[in-house]
Amino acid sequence: MAKKALITGITGQDGSYLAEFLLEKGYEVHGLVRRASTLNRARIDHLQGFEHGENPRLILHYGDLADSVSLVKLLYSLQPDEIYNLAAQSHVRVSFDIPEYTSDVTGVGAGRILEAIIESGIGKKVRFYQASSSEMFGKVQAVPQTETTPFYPRSPYGCAKVFAHWLTVNYRESYNLFACSGILFNHESPRRGESFVTRKISIAAARIKKGLQKELYLGNLDAKRDWGYAKEYVEGMWLMLQQDKPDDYVLATNETHTIEDFLSAAFGHLDLDWRDYVKFDSRYLRPAEVDLLIGDYSKAKRALGWEPQTRMHGLAKLMVDADLAALR
Ligand code: NAP
Ligand code: F7E
């Protein structure tokens, strides 16, 4: 019988790649989706779930990480083999505007699923993945960052992820759950949300090349990030749940680049000089910034055989090419 996976956050960037990956592996994929006034399924439309009635192996369920009873009922009726908790209010800047909501969904939401696992009685068989983040390292205490680097979050989002991370460890130790945290560094793609900096840049570069936009307003260009390709990172999530024992792993590229470097790569790919178009807007600054992230993925390489293939320059090119193609 096909394995059953439940993905929270299936309509997001990672959820859509993971759903694709698991369907290709023969899984029956269930996704938790929020009700919205307009359908919000652009990233998974091509997989044709129940709205189209064409893919019986992709089934969507209305729910919300803020609603615990519905989570217990869903887990009890589904009895999934694997749960990937990818749902979150995932924007760091926005988490300063809505800290309570971010704490509730991104932090306590993970606890609601963990508790639903226990309450629904599926704790002995299910394998659980928590989407932890390099934002937990924040004001970094070591370079590069590994699974044992102490956390020092710099935003309500980072704090909420630390809470969810430690709850995952705690439920593993308290209830013997097969629960893993993937500490993932920034990963991007043509499906990245349009308000994250890489996608904002790739869309702007394509539109400027086509004469559809004249300027691009950004905040801090000096921050350094370790950027990988989302499509490759979802395989790492799956590999974590296929091991004999649950554990936590960093997924990263072990390279770091500034926002300026990404601008050069994206605009340079179209023979444009970003300095001619980029303007500063203080609204994009954050009350506290994460200045430098660079991840050491050697544990994932050793234990999972996972390694990133795409680095920053290749990523910038593939994102710009996709945004250019979408304009044609
Ligand atoms: P994303 O594109 O922002 O997707 C977030 C998903 O969560 C969406 O499907 C969203 O649904 C859903 N969601 C938000 N609030 C919810 C709620 N209250 N109940 C149920 N679903 C809710 O994020 P992503 O980039 O794919 O990232 C996936 C996960 O990895 C997130 O937890 C993120 O924090 C974490 N992470 C991301 C990165 C990265 O670089 N991308 C790095 C480390 C960790 P709607 O479509 O309805 O909004
Ligand atoms: O910002 C700077 C900004 O919003 C990157 C999330 O997926 O990765 C993501 O969080 C950097 C920051 O991603 C703009 O100040 C400059 O230094 O693309 P971002 P993030 O904050 O690193 C982590 C790993 C996650 O877990 C999160 O969920 O770029 N920056 N100007 C800007 N950022 C944005 N968004 N917009 C600007 O105009």
Side-chain angles (χ1 to χ4, degrees):
M1 217 167 66
K3 272 192 179 178
K4 253 189 233 179
L6 171 66
I7 304 175
T8 73
I10 193 168
T11 54
Q13 171 188 255
D14 291 6
S16 67
Y17 283 117
L18 181 63
E20 239 166 55
F21 176 84
L22 294 175
L23 285 169
E24 275 165 27
K25 287 238 168 267
Y27 278 69
E28 180 178 302
V29 176
H30 294 259
L32 186 81
V33 293
R34 299 196 283 181
R35 195 262 159 187
S37 64
T38 49
L39 273 189
N40 177 16
R41 314 275 159 78
R43 294 187 179 101
I44 52 169
D45 263 349
H46 63 291
L47 301 173
Q48 298 188 321
F50 80 106
E51 266 109 16
H52 306 279
E54 286 173 30
N55 189 347
R57 284 198 296 118
L58 175 62
I59 301 118
L60 304 180
H61 306 266
Y62 282 111
D64 198 297
L65 280 199
D67 192 304
S68 28
V69 174
S70 65
L71 293 174
V72 177
K73 280 160 68 181
L74 182 61
L75 297 200
Y76 182 74
S77 63
L78 270 187
Q79 302 276 316
D81 300 289
E82 295 173 10
I83 299 176
Y84 297 86
N85 182 35
L86 309 185
Q89 190 303 93
S90 74
H91 203 284
V92 174
R93 175 70 191 82
V94 172
S95 78
F96 286 99
D97 301 326
I98 48 170
E100 185 182 338
Y101 177 79
T102 304
S103 307
D104 188 39
V105 171
T106 305
V108 180
R112 289 193 184 99
I113 300 220
L114 286 163
E115 197 50 29
I117 288 175
I118 304 300
E119 279 301 303
S120 62
I122 63 169
K124 283 208 165 54
K125 77 157 201 172
V126 79
R127 295 183 170 212
F128 175 79
Y129 173 85
Q130 168 59 20
S132 286
S133 165
S134 53
E135 281 294 303
M136 301 190 304
F137 298 122
K139 190 171 175 182
V140 298
Q141 303 295 295
V143 178
Q145 296 85 52
T146 71
E147 292 80 4
T148 55
T149 302
F151 300 138
Y152 194 137
R154 295 274 279 170
S155 63
Y157 170 81
C159 294
K161 282 291 184 189
V162 171
F163 177 74
H165 178 84
W166 280 115
L167 266 188
T168 304
V169 174
N170 182 259
Y171 272 63
R172 180 166 75 213
E173 294 174 356
S174 305
Y175 302 110
N176 210 17
L177 276 192
F178 195 109
C180 301
S181 263
I183 307 176
L184 271 52
F185 283 62
N186 296 54
H187 46 281
E188 321 290 314
S189 74
R191 296 187 200 166
R192 182 57 141 155
E194 297 173 10
S195 64
F196 294 95
V197 79
T198 54
R199 186 77 199 290
K200 197 170 159 183
I201 292 170
S202 66
I203 292 175
R207 286 176 54 83
I208 288 168
K209 185 70 180 176
K210 287 276 175 198
L212 298 170
Q213 184 173 332
K214 289 192 169 59
E215 291 167 338
L216 168 62
Y217 285 88
L218 294 174
N220 174 20
L221 304 187
D222 297 327
K224 290 182 154 180
R225 289 290 181 275
D226 178 328
W227 281 299
Y229 184 22
K231 196 172 179 176
E232 295 166 6
Y233 283 45
V234 298
E235 180 169 13
M237 298 174 185
W238 175 77
L239 283 168
M240 289 176 209
L241 298 198
Q242 312 312 310
Q243 305 307 305
D244 292 338
K245 288 195 180 130
D247 206 344
D248 306 324
Y249 302 89
V250 161
L251 300 186
T253 70
N254 199 227
E255 276 187 17
T256 191
H257 301 275
T258 62
I259 316 299
E260 277 198 20
D261 294 336
F262 194 91
L263 279 164
S264 292
F267 278 70
H269 182 51
L270 299 179
D271 298 320
L272 298 169
D273 184 345
W274 66 270
R275 289 183 180 76
D276 296 336
Y277 308 97
V278 172
K279 302 260 178 347
F280 174 70
D281 188 330
S282 61
R283 284 177 303 175
Y284 296 116
L285 296 178
R286 291 150 191 211
E289 179 61 281
V290 172
D291 296 319
L292 163 71
L293 290 174
I294 177 166
D296 174 348
Y297 65 88
S298 50
K299 179 176 172 184
K301 184 176 175 187
R302 196 173 57 249
L304 310 176
W306 181 89
E307 208 168 358
Q309 304 301 318
T310 308
R311 300 297 205 277
M312 187 277 276
H313 285 91
L315 182 65
K317 282 183 193 164
L318 75 84
M319 289 176 70
V320 169
D321 285 343
D323 282 320
L324 208 53
L327 289 176
R328 280 194 199 111

